[in-house]
Amino acid sequence: MTDIKLYNTMARKKQVFTPIDPNNVRMYVCGPTVYDRAHLGNARPVVVFDVLYRLLRHVYGPDHVTYVRNFTDVDDKINATALARKEAGAAGTLEELVHERSNETIEWYLNDMRALGAMDPDKMPRATEFIQPMIDMIEDLIAKGHAYPDGAGHVLFSVKSYKDYGQLSGRSVDDMIAGARVEIADNKRDPMDFVLWKPSTDDLPGWESPWGRGRPGWHIECSAMSHDLLGASFDIHGGGNDLQFPHHENEIAQSCCAHPEGQFARYWLHNEMLQVEGKKMSKSLGNFFTVRDLLDAKYPGEVIRYVLLQTHYRKPMNWTEDKAASSLKELGKWHRMKGDNSPGLVPAGVLDALSDDLNTPKAISVLRECEKQGDISGLLAGLEIMGLRTIDDEMWSLILDSEKEILDFLSRRLHETRLEAMQTKDFSAVDALKTALTEAGVQVRMSKEDVELEPGPGFDALKLEGLR
């Protein structure tokens, strides 16, 4: 069986992945808060953990892997969006509008992620479906001395009651207080204590509890859902590195205190953040966009996915239009090569690269080597395990349009160069351009009146980029 090595944030090193039960490999990834469209940064963990999911299914078998990714559908941002709708005249109670907004946004999210080639996880729980398990866990934490009610409808977790707090982020509690914006409140025994349950007004979503009508804090949601669906111990917990503290740190504290018999998650994986044209994505810089913005701008989902996979998941990733354009051309070239070939065995080099902490850039270099060696079946199998075999008619049309644009430009350039050469009697520039076109697999037809360029066998639009 293939050995998979993963960088475990908790251990701060790569480790050989050894599942608790090879017949029941379990992974939990923190999903979105469903108040708006997913932006490109939200898509990166989806694509990263989709590749890991595919790898685990390949190694252990599709029936032996369970992937859970949640939806946070109770949150202040969702409430604010629903309130804005109500103030704009939308019909229904505020609670009904919250539910409506959540349903709408979940559907958007799933459609956008599917467009990126991401498989649906095996289970996609909503926080609002697990309120009772959350209440039960909070009651248990209070009984064990790890949490306390404030008498005004809040329940807080006592951070100092868990001696290993800070192990994931590698910082002491004092360091965290100094380096983070910690909410100081009269109802806290300690500044680092965090909310497990809070009151809810009559018009907002809320549930009856021993502490009054209210709703859960963010962190308890994932602890309760993962325990209910995967048990007190499971294999992998993933998410963006922005969740490492406080969300994942708080999850660990709650879960290990509520279920000391378990280990919670054994391997912690975190992906780095995303930039756009070398800058942090933000609305103030005008470089903020959603996945749907890109899809509607005619960036096919497979191209977006391919750009994301060209950078290792633990390194900052930079989205650029140049990367998207070259990705479209390379995927088009591979699609053109497909012909009647079917996927064969996944090349050993691709498996080795993915098994080495999801080294997708190295896996892509192996795909390019398959192309050079003419191993089309291996190329197709490698693309498939990376979720890159979703070219549809719309994407193929875009590829053809892109190819036509550059060929039309180079046709005019060659024609003009030839006309100039006829005057100077120096045809070296014509010969050089014609040779470069031929080496890129372009069929060149020249007449006195015109130049025609068409893709031929082995056409590679990427080789034409330097001729513009």
Side-chain angles (χ1 to χ4, degrees):
M1 183 176 286
T2 304
D3 276 346
I4 298 174
K5 293 180 181 179
L6 300 172
Y7 185 89
N8 187 351
T9 307
M10 182 71 79
R12 289 165 185 76
K13 64 181 179 181
K14 273 197 279 191
Q15 296 177 323
V16 174
F17 174 65
T18 306
I20 299 167
D21 178 2
N23 292 314
N24 185 21
V25 181
R26 286 158 285 171
M27 176 169 70
Y28 184 95
V29 174
C30 290
T33 299
V34 287
Y35 67 94
D36 207 345
R37 289 276 190 186
H39 59 69
L40 187 59
N42 301 140
R44 194 178 191 194
V46 173
V47 171
V48 166
F49 290 103
D50 181 67
V51 173
L52 179 55
Y53 181 43
R54 290 168 184 271
L55 177 63
L56 294 172
R57 285 165 59 92
H58 180 85
V59 173
Y60 294 98
D63 297 332
H64 302 297
V65 180
T66 302
Y67 173 22
V68 178
R69 187 183 66 219
N70 74 293
F71 289 111
T72 295
D73 60 343
V74 51
D75 181 86
D76 290 338
K77 290 180 179 178
I78 304 172
N79 294 344
T81 305
L83 182 60
R85 283 188 171 187
K86 186 169 183 62
E87 290 174 348
T93 65
L94 191 54
E95 188 165 355
E96 288 170 343
L97 290 172
V98 166
H99 188 64
E100 179 184 291
R101 178 61 170 178
S102 297
N103 288 342
E104 177 183 57
T105 312
I106 287 172
E107 192 62 28
W108 288 347
Y109 180 86
L110 290 175
N111 288 337
D112 290 348
M113 297 308 112
R114 288 165 186 159
L116 302 188
M119 300 171 66
D120 285 354
D122 299 287
K123 299 179 186 295
M124 296 185 285
R126 299 187 185 200
T128 52
E129 299 170 342
F130 288 79
I131 298 297
Q132 191 56 51
M134 294 176 203
I135 292 173
D136 294 342
M137 183 177 278
I138 294 169
E139 286 190 296
D140 185 46
L141 288 168
I142 293 173
K144 290 175 177 173
H146 295 294
Y148 56 93
D150 70 349
H154 298 84
V155 180
L156 296 106
F157 182 87
S158 175
V159 167
K160 287 189 174 177
S161 75
Y162 180 57
K163 62 181 178 60
D164 292 328
Y165 192 86
Q167 197 172 56
L168 181 67
S169 56
R171 294 180 288 177
S172 70
V173 171
D174 289 339
D175 288 340
M176 293 179 194
I177 293 174
R181 279 182 269 177
V182 177
E183 182 187 353
I184 307 297
D186 293 339
N187 64 342
K188 288 186 178 184
R189 296 176 182 173
D190 187 272
M192 288 299 295
D193 293 351
F194 57 88
V195 171
L196 300 174
W197 190 264
K198 53 188 173 183
S200 187
T201 59
D202 290 341
D203 58 340
L204 289 173
W207 293 264
E208 294 303 323
S209 78
W211 318 286
R213 188 175 186 277
R215 51 197 169 100
W218 175 33
H219 313 301
I220 196 69
E221 296 174 9
C222 288
S223 286
M225 287 186 280
S226 62
H227 180 265
D228 227 50
L229 296 172
L230 299 177
S233 300
F234 56 93
D235 298 300
I236 298 169
H237 196 313
N241 66 358
D242 57 324
L243 298 181
Q244 187 175 328
F245 175 81
H247 184 52
H248 288 166
E249 200 79 75
N250 291 352
E251 276 189 73
I252 293 169
Q254 299 163 159
S255 296
C256 289
C257 289
H259 305 288
E261 75 283 1
Q263 299 174 282
F264 193 41
R266 298 176 67 239
Y267 299 84
W268 286 85
L269 273 67
H270 295 93
N271 64 274
E272 254 289 356
M273 296 296 99
L274 176 138
Q275 297 178 325
V276 176
E277 303 290 349
K279 297 179 180 179
K280 182 178 179 180
M281 187 167 66
S282 72
K283 291 180 179 177
S284 62
L285 292 175
N287 65 350
F288 179 94
F289 43 79
T290 67
V291 172
R292 179 49 50 183
D293 290 336
L294 288 175
L295 293 169
D296 289 346
K298 299 304 181 183
Y299 285 101
E302 189 179 37
V303 168
I304 299 170
R305 183 185 185 95
Y306 191 47
V307 173
L308 293 174
L309 293 181
Q310 288 173 42
T311 303
H312 190 273
Y313 79 93
R314 286 194 292 111
K315 293 183 178 180
M317 186 261 153
N318 187 27
W319 169 275
T320 69
E321 290 189 8
D322 286 346
K323 282 184 183 179
S326 63
S327 295
L328 180 68
K329 292 179 174 65
E330 186 161 37
L331 290 171
K333 175 179 61 174
W334 288 343
H335 185 67
R336 189 185 296 278
M337 294 169 64
K338 177 182 175 182
D340 296 328
N341 292 282
S342 299
L345 295 175
V346 177
V350 171
L351 273 182
D352 289 345
L354 296 181
S355 299
D356 184 14
D357 195 32
L358 299 182
N359 192 338
T360 53
K362 187 175 180 180
I364 289 170
S365 72
V366 176
L367 296 181
R368 290 169 179 156
E369 191 59 34
C370 287
E371 174 206 331
K372 290 179 184 177
Q373 300 297 326
D375 180 10
I376 307 306
S377 294
L379 171 64
L380 295 175
L383 288 168
E384 191 168 73
I385 196 171
M386 295 176 70
L388 288 166
R389 290 194 67 239
T390 57
I391 291 180
D392 56 18
D393 290 341
E394 181 180 4
M395 178 174 174
W396 186 236
S397 175
L398 287 168
I399 290 168
L400 293 177
D401 288 346
S402 175
E403 292 175 357
K404 185 176 184 303
E405 179 189 358
I406 191 168
L407 288 176
D408 285 348
F409 171 82
L410 292 172
S411 175
R412 292 192 299 271
R413 181 177 167 190
L414 181 56
H415 180 62
E416 290 165 2
T417 304
R418 186 167 177 269
L419 289 176
E420 184 178 334
M422 291 172 71
Q423 296 294 323
T424 63
K425 307 303 181 185
D426 180 3
F427 286 85
S428 58
V430 175
D431 294 339
L433 182 52
K434 186 177 178 182
T435 298
L437 290 166
T438 303
E439 288 177 349
V442 179
Q443 294 179 342
V444 181
R445 299 186 185 90
M446 302 175 66
S447 67
K448 291 182 179 180
E449 295 79 21
D450 201 3
V451 172
E452 290 184 12
L453 303 181
E454 290 185 0
F459 174 69
D460 185 354
L462 286 172
K463 291 182 178 178
L464 302 178
E465 286 301 309
L467 302 178
R468 281 183 179 269

